[in-house]
Amino acid sequence: MQFTINGETHDVEPDIRASLLDVLREHVGLTGTKKGCDHGQCGACTVLVNGRRINSCLTLAVMHQDDDILTIEGLGSADNLHPMQAAFVKHDGYQCGYCTPGQICSAVGMLDEVKKGWPSHVSDKLDSVSLSNDEISERMSGNLCRCSAYPNIVDAISEVSGLTPAQKEAADA
Amino acid sequence: MSTTNALKMDKPVPDSLLDTSTQGIIGKPLDRKEGPLKVSGAATYAAEYQIENLAYGVLVGAPFGKGKITGIDSDVAKALPGVIDVVTDFDKFLTTPAQGLAPKAPQGVENVQYFGEIVAIVLAESFEAARDAAQQVVINHEAADDGRYDFEALKGEAEKPAKGDIPSHFSQGDLDKAMTDAPVTLDVTFTTPSQNSAAMEPHASIATWDDSGMLTLHGSYQMPGNDVEQLAAALGVSKSKVRIVARYVGGGFGSKLGIAPESVAAALAAKALGRPVKAVMARQQVFDATVRRSNTEQRIRLAATADGKLTAMGHETLTSNLPDDDYFEPTGQATHFMYAAENREINHDIVRLDWLLSGSMRAPGEAVGMLALEGAMDELAEKLGIDPIEFRKINEPEMDPEKGVPHSSRELVRCMDVGATSFGWDKRNATPGTRREGEWLVGIGMAAAARANMLQPSEARVTLSATGRATVETDMTDIGTGTYTILGQIAGEVLGLPLEHVDVELGDTNFPTAAGSGGSFGAGSSGTSVYLAAEAIREKIAKAMGVDVDALTLKDGHAVADNRRVPLGELAGEGIVAIGSIKPGKQEKEKTQSSYGAHFAEVGVNAVTGEVRVRRMLGVFAAGRILNAKTARSQCLGGMTFGIGTALTEDLIHDPRNGKLVNRDLAEYHLPVNADVPQLEVEFLEERDIHANPMHAKGIGELGISGAGAAIANAVYNATGIRVRDYPLTLDKILEGLPEL
């Protein structure tokens, strides 16, 4: 079967029991995506599939024929960081770093959801969503961080979201 | 040739090079050195090394409590495609992980001691095959009929353990008499449940033997220098034949101090197969078979005069552990020096249970001991009609109340005062249950924080090369603590180099042996070793310049003295190498050393559901020199959040019939999530501790958790008038005390 990872086409023959996470880590050699629980409980394995954030431990690799998969390595590299990655460094949005790739992929996916107007549990209105610290915290609560960099993660995401005019507009509305 | 600059901390070191140097990077909130690697997924954790011909190991746990294995039936498992073997060793597999700093780990698994104990490892060509086969391994056994699984039922049989981090029992004066004589007393009992460190990276090891019989273990460990001894002892090989590599560790919080079962299983399997083996614990196995913080039952007795002077303090604790392990949660550690009172009794006893091992978790002792002590202080303050901060000030001890020695530095009062002003303590209504906003009852509370400061032997090598760059090498770990960065800052500050010109190599036992990460002693101990090595290099630079070292200024890669400015590389010749070596000395006996702080919390308690939400929280801390204001703040944020979990959600439940953990994953054991944590605030006070080490820095990694949960519980009381002494403060415990709707 075939799928695209970080813009590159990969031909793989995964074990039908293999999760997307294990294929990324053990077969493709992309270990930036982390395994924290293997049960969809911690979010460390978050990647973007066709632009949407998912727990890669909860999906079998064989379900992803022709899918477009973006992992932390595809978002940016150490010497060419994505704005979200740079903001995590600046705001110390991590400590041990193990949940971090998942947090960052999740944050990127989350901002896109807000942009599309998807409400969350804490949204005041269902038809007009604006970003706030409460919204960020709520929407990022599927990504555990035991070092507990949460306040810094919120600051990092808040800064990046502020860079997008559409986000600012939504927040002011 | 390298020189060694060794220091035993027998005397205070009043002058620090970190104050006289001019590079200006120490203490600055610099970004983590390894940050770009971590945020781009390029930092390599234990299970991520790409090693050829790797076999995948999946561990098998005993599906019963105490008992004896009568046979392991692995025929079905071995017959599955891709499966290589099923390996066990009844003598050598670890019974439990090693305690931190212990010389060795308990071994032997034929007689299973607790539910989930790791007894075999299934090896396969793929993880999927190994995982599948592990489900097919049958552990035949006879369950013991004398299993001890019920804390409540057995707590009457507690026994006195051997001395641990502190004496198990301590007595001064006459507590009972003081309690009888005093006009105001308090006698209350707090309970805290078992807890799990729940580091995000599960315990993992890749074991590789080479042809010469040398084992390299890529492992997720906090103290490689000590772990390598434990691993060698467990395998029956010389320490020189074992190397541990732990460059990145995905959190530890005590759970990775000592070697865990997967390390020995991987090493034995790799030996048997003649190829490298990777073993990663499943999250459920991390819960079942690593280490927990013990549950505790803590009776606090306080006696005071009418004007609030404490005359007696009692802190008696029951903890639990396996029959052969004397580790006890040292809940009274801070009680020994927190407050003045003449009559004192601080005792710890162990209830022997066939539950998984209890051992160190972030701030062993203070983390749960201060929940009880600081809760009781709040209660007695109210009984006395004295403000809780004022009550603590009245009982501020001039000297250590037991040892009679001075404090090295103690800024508790200032922490409380600064915090009170910043947080708006004066707006607190001392009468509980009086502030309501919609369906929320709102209250604020405070608690003091303290964490004993320790120093451990530690060594580091620093090399100044002919290119003018410095390299730090030590087997110290950075488990999220900021170690890569602060060690670079220390070396850069002393040698006059920007941080970018210092390379820091950690987590490899090929390097000089460091203290490791634990007990908040990592920065002080390993930092001092780097400081000492850099100091020695500084002297050699002075010699090369032909000037007195005191006349030398090092800045931006240049040595300046005697109207000359010379690039450091030119003075380094073929490179200057120095080893720094620090050992604890008389200062830890002559002075009582601790970091201090004050926590303030504002909570909302839902008047309908009893749900508690932390609205605001501030921690003010004094921990000597802050080496990096950014990473130190993050350590405190992390500690305070552990405090939120301790206060409100974390509760590891043991089945009283067999000891099995009921909630053994991250869906059922509730860590605080982002939405549970408001934008916490942290303030540091300027402080220097000349008795701690030449950097004048004290430990900070565990200070943030100490007392944090008590501030929240005290705030819940202020909000509702409900005093819950049974942690965590889940809504079921609050609901019945709430006023009628």
Side-chain angles (χ1 to χ4, degrees):
Chain A
M1 63 172 289
Q2 227 180 37
F3 44 53
T4 304
I5 306 173
N6 303 331
E8 253 181 60
T9 306
H10 285 257
D11 287 299
V12 288
E13 281 184 51
D15 189 310
I16 54 163
R17 300 165 293 186
S19 66
L20 177 58
L21 171 63
D22 285 325
V23 167
L24 288 171
R25 284 172 66 83
E26 307 298 338
H27 299 275
V28 184
L30 291 174
T31 55
T33 307
K34 305 303 182 193
K35 183 186 281 191
C37 72
D38 219 10
H39 283 65
Q41 299 168 345
C42 77
C45 66
T46 306
V47 298
L48 298 164
V49 175
N50 302 328
R52 282 182 63 177
R53 52 178 173 159
I54 64 165
N55 288 328
S56 62
C57 74
L58 284 188
T59 187
L60 294 171
V62 291
M63 296 161 68
H64 293 281
Q65 174 72 32
D66 297 330
D67 276 350
D68 187 9
I69 297 154
L70 187 71
T71 72
I72 191 70
E73 292 93 342
L75 215 49
S77 59
D79 49 13
N80 185 23
L81 297 177
H82 179 279
M84 189 64 78
Q85 293 170 320
F88 267 65
V89 173
K90 177 181 167 190
H91 291 278
D92 216 34
Y94 53 46
Q95 291 200 58
C96 79
Y98 198 77
C99 75
T100 312
Q103 298 276 359
I104 291 170
C105 285
S106 186
V108 170
M110 181 274 286
L111 288 183
D112 192 51
E113 289 161 16
V114 174
K115 200 167 153 189
K116 287 175 179 153
W118 297 5
S120 82
H121 172 67
V122 299
S123 303
D124 289 335
K125 296 180 203 159
L126 296 184
D127 56 354
S128 150
V129 173
S130 62
L131 206 62
S132 63
N133 282 357
D134 283 350
E135 282 278 2
I136 294 173
S137 286
E138 169 64 22
R139 291 165 187 265
M140 290 300 293
S141 282
N143 290 85
L144 300 181
C145 172
R146 184 52 153 171
C147 299
S148 306
Y150 298 131
N152 294 346
I153 290 170
V154 170
D155 285 344
I157 298 172
S158 163
E159 178 175 295
V160 175
S161 67
L163 295 175
T164 318
Q167 302 292 340
K168 273 188 179 166
E169 210 173 291
D172 294 338
Chain B
M1 215 183 76
S2 69
T3 50
T4 297
N5 187 14
L7 177 69
K8 190 160 180 259
M9 209 52 206
D10 282 331
K11 290 183 192 146
V13 181
D15 299 316
S16 178
L17 285 173
L18 299 182
D19 285 316
T20 51
S21 58
T22 54
Q23 189 60 32
I25 57 173
I26 203 70
K28 291 282 169 357
L30 302 181
D31 294 344
R32 281 170 208 260
K33 273 184 88 66
E34 80 290 8
L37 295 178
K38 281 181 173 170
V39 299
S40 62
T44 309
Y45 297 80
E48 300 173 349
Y49 287 85
Q50 304 294 310
I51 288 168
E52 294 230 336
N53 196 28
L54 192 70
Y56 288 84
V58 167
L59 302 163
V60 181
F64 56 96
K66 189 181 176 190
K68 184 175 179 165
I69 299 178
T70 54
I72 295 183
D73 183 353
S74 53
D75 290 351
V76 174
K78 283 183 188 168
L80 290 170
V83 174
I84 304 163
D85 203 356
V86 177
V87 170
T88 191
D89 187 324
F90 280 171
D91 298 326
K92 287 191 173 165
F93 264 51
L94 298 191
T95 321
T96 69
Q99 296 284 8
L101 292 172
K104 57 184 184 176
Q107 288 177 277
V109 295
E110 186 174 11
N111 291 300
V112 168
Q113 296 204 9
Y114 58 97
F115 202 107
E117 186 175 320
I118 302 298
V119 297
I121 182 169
V122 177
L123 290 314
E125 298 294 344
S126 72
F127 172 66
E128 291 73 31
R131 179 180 58 190
D132 213 349
Q135 304 287 325
Q136 306 300 330
V137 176
V138 179
I139 314 290
N140 296 309
H141 64 275
E142 287 165 8
D145 53 13
D146 61 346
R148 298 164 63 91
Y149 307 116
D150 189 341
F151 181 83
E152 281 303 314
L154 294 166
K155 69 185 185 190
E157 300 172 23
E159 58 186 53
K160 180 185 169 186
K163 181 181 185 298
D165 296 345
I166 55 171
S168 47
H169 285 193
F170 174 84
S171 182
Q172 172 181 306
D174 189 337
L175 175 72
D176 290 332
K177 184 170 183 302
M179 287 293 287
T180 312
D181 293 350
V184 189
T185 60
L186 185 79
D187 183 350
V188 287
T189 299
F190 293 80
T191 54
T192 66
S194 291
Q195 297 176 334
N196 185 280
S197 290
M200 294 313 296
E201 180 202 19
H203 294 58
S205 289
I206 300 178
T208 310
W209 296 88
D210 72 12
D211 295 340
S212 73
M214 175 87 193
L215 170 69
T216 299
L217 190 101
H218 290 89
S220 184
Y221 286 110
Q222 297 177 226
M223 318 185 106
N226 189 236
D227 299 322
V228 84
E229 291 184 25
Q230 296 172 345
L231 188 54
L235 298 170
V237 301
S238 153
K239 185 186 145 190
S240 63
K241 289 286 185 189
V242 181
R243 174 189 177 201
I244 292 181
V245 178
R247 295 191 183 99
Y248 294 97
V249 179
F253 315 110
S255 73
K256 296 168 180 171
L257 291 175
I259 58 167
E262 97 293 341
S263 63
V264 169
L268 292 172
K271 191 86 176 173
L273 265 54
R275 60 190 279 198
V277 167
K278 164 151 74 178
V280 183
M281 288 183 123
R283 175 56 63 184
Q284 290 74 7
Q285 291 171 333
V286 173
F287 276 91
D288 283 347
T290 62
V291 60
R292 66 187 166 99
R293 187 200 297 286
S294 178
N295 60 312
T296 69
E297 182 175 301
Q298 305 176 51
R299 181 186 185 193
I300 301 272
R301 281 183 284 173
L302 298 175
T305 61
D307 55 3
K309 209 156 171 39
L310 285 171
T311 56
M313 297 176 69
H315 193 170
E316 290 151 287
T317 300
L318 293 179
T319 70
S320 61
N321 215 343
L322 285 160
D324 297 330
D325 199 301
D326 261 4
Y327 177 90
F328 61 89
E329 179 79 20
T331 49
Q333 186 151 262
T335 313
H336 280 296
F337 58 78
M338 267 320 266
Y339 303 112
E342 214 176 290
N343 303 287
R344 314 169 73 87
E345 207 149 305
I346 301 168
N347 297 341
H348 306 76
D349 293 293
I350 295 187
V351 179
R352 297 299 179 180
L353 291 178
D354 301 310
W355 290 357
L356 76 145
L357 182 72
S358 77
S360 295
M361 176 170 151
R362 197 172 200 167
E366 288 91 333
V368 288
M370 295 192 84
L371 296 178
L373 178 64
E374 291 301 300
M377 288 294 285
D378 200 66
E379 292 194 42
L380 189 56
E382 192 192 33
K383 240 180 161 177
L384 288 159
I386 301 175
D387 177 84
I389 293 177
E390 183 56 30
F391 179 46
R392 285 170 175 85
K393 285 185 187 174
I394 292 170
N395 292 289
E396 174 74 4
E398 270 184 46
M399 308 275 272
D400 183 299
E402 294 170 9
K403 296 173 185 159
V405 300
H407 306 285
S408 61
S409 57
R410 177 170 164 130
E411 294 286 357
L412 173 59
V413 169
R414 202 151 62 95
C415 287
M416 292 191 293
D417 283 342
V418 168
T421 305
S422 295
F423 201 73
W425 181 252
D426 59 339
K427 294 186 186 65
R428 169 182 178 265
N429 189 334
T431 310
T434 47
R435 184 175 158 203
R436 184 156 177 159
E437 294 174 10
E439 63 183 44
W440 295 91
L441 293 159
V442 181
I444 65 177
M446 64 79 60
R451 173 62 179 157
N453 187 60
M454 291 170 260
L455 186 66
Q456 287 287 317
S458 204
E459 293 197 348
R461 179 167 55 229
V462 178
T463 305
L464 180 68
S465 76
T467 62
R469 289 185 71 86
T471 304
V472 174
E473 293 166 310
T474 166
D475 77 3
M476 183 61 193
T477 49
D478 187 332
I479 61 171
T481 36
T483 317
Y484 277 107
T485 316
I486 60 159
L487 295 188
Q489 284 175 280
I490 293 162
E493 188 64 54
V494 176
L495 294 175
L497 292 169
L499 184 59
E500 308 78 66
H501 291 190
V502 185
D503 299 312
V504 182
E505 302 283 343
L506 302 179
D508 187 333
T509 53
N510 279 352
F511 300 142
T513 305
S517 302
S520 293
F521 52 64
S525 307
S526 76
T528 297
S529 69
V530 171
Y531 172 101
L532 292 170
E535 183 181 48
I537 292 176
R538 207 170 168 272
E539 278 160 20
K540 291 206 168 178
I541 295 169
K543 215 169 176 185
M545 279 284 274
V547 298
D548 189 90
V549 73
D550 295 329
L552 183 70
T553 300
L554 300 179
K555 192 167 164 51
D556 296 332
H558 288 77
V560 183
D562 198 17
N563 288 326
R564 285 178 292 145
R565 185 168 186 271
V566 185
L568 284 178
E570 281 181 26
L571 298 164
E574 287 177 10
I576 304 175
V577 187
I579 300 229
S581 172
I582 179 72
K583 285 197 174 79
K586 290 179 190 155
Q587 284 303 297
E588 63 182 31
K589 290 251 186 314
E590 289 174 5
K591 300 280 188 283
T592 291
Q593 299 184 19
S594 176
S595 299
Y596 291 91
H599 293 282
F600 293 82
E602 178 180 297
V603 302
V605 180
N606 191 289
V608 181
T609 66
E611 178 189 10
V612 179
R613 304 293 298 170
V614 178
R615 297 181 153 203
R616 293 193 294 139
M617 202 167 167
L618 164 70
V620 181
F621 303 107
R625 185 194 307 274
I626 299 303
L627 299 167
N628 179 318
K630 184 178 285 196
T631 56
R633 174 177 173 272
S634 290
Q635 282 282 288
C636 292
L637 292 177
M640 289 162 73
T641 306
F642 263 68
I644 294 174
T646 298
L648 301 178
T649 60
E650 292 182 41
D651 188 354
L652 201 51
I653 297 164
H654 305 261
D655 189 326
R657 297 167 303 177
N658 55 14
K660 182 187 190 329
L661 290 180
V662 175
N663 49 345
R664 54 204 275 275
D665 63 33
L666 296 174
E668 300 295 330
Y669 181 81
H670 295 151
L671 309 183
V673 302
N674 201 318
D676 296 325
V677 182
Q679 293 304 89
L680 308 175
E681 289 177 64
V682 173
E683 287 183 42
F684 291 116
L685 299 186
E686 193 69 21
E687 189 190 42
R688 299 284 186 266
D689 194 322
I690 62 171
H691 305 281
N693 52 55
M695 304 186 302
H696 305 161
K698 293 188 287 191
I700 202 159
E702 301 170 317
L703 183 59
I705 184 176
S706 303
I712 293 167
N714 294 341
V716 168
Y717 176 76
N718 183 246
T720 63
I722 302 166
R723 191 71 78 171
V724 180
R725 302 188 193 93
D726 176 23
Y727 282 90
L729 280 63
T730 45
L731 46 81
D732 51 302
K733 297 170 191 169
I734 292 168
L735 209 47
E736 64 181 25
L738 288 172
E740 289 283 318
L741 289 174

